[in-house]
Amino acid sequence: LNKTPNKIYARKCQIKEINDNKLIKNFLNENHVQGFISSKIKIGLFYNNNLVCLMTFNKSLNLKSKNENKYEIIRYCSLLNTNVIGGASKLFKYFLNGFKPKIIISYVDRSYGNGNLYQQLGFELIYITNPNYYIVNNIKKYKFNYKKISLINEGFTKNKLSHETSLGRKIFRIYDSGNLKFIYNKLL
């Protein structure tokens, strides 16, 4: 909608690798829809000494060969209500030049995005997952904590589906829209 109130140009920002986990945790919890998740490599853009854009990476565990230089983008976001123009591109190029990956994967939750950013960075869409669900109990959100075997172990009947038992306990499923899986393959 082009309604973001604040705009910063990435060329005016300083790029840094970040080791301050408290800074990363606070930034992701305040600015990323899915919040904090641990990562090994954290690269940020700073404007006037303030973190305004962040991209984090881990070595990929989802790719079969462990002896190659394969990574996953774990999180990307900018400061809330701020568009860092060219931020993703600057961070991604820094990562490519500094870490020399051969393959990078990333996922986009279709409930929140369409993956255009990854396509602009040179990624290719390779897979669309089926919708998934979370369990909501009061105000807490869980991922798959109420599987049938867990409910049976808690003394509930084997004759009902886990979903039926959960509904009786006022535990509800919230479905998402699935994920898009992208790959950046320098070997191609």
Side-chain angles (χ1 to χ4, degrees), residues 84-97:
V84 181
I85 298 164
S89 178
K90 186 169 183 172
L91 291 169
F92 191 64
K93 285 178 186 172
Y94 179 92
F95 178 75
L96 290 176
N97 292 330

Side-chain angles (χ1 to χ4, degrees), residues 151-166:
L151 294 167
I152 292 169
N153 290 340
E154 290 180 30
F156 291 92
T157 180
K158 294 182 208 180
N159 300 331
K160 285 187 177 179
L161 297 171
S162 62
H163 183 61
E164 293 173 311
T165 302
S166 295

Side-chain angles (χ1 to χ4, degrees), residues 26-33 35 51 76-81:
N26 288 339
F27 190 82
L28 288 173
N29 283 337
E30 291 172 10
N31 300 292
H32 195 282
V33 70
L51 180 60
Y76 169 74
C77 68
S78 60
L79 190 63
L80 199 61
N81 298 317

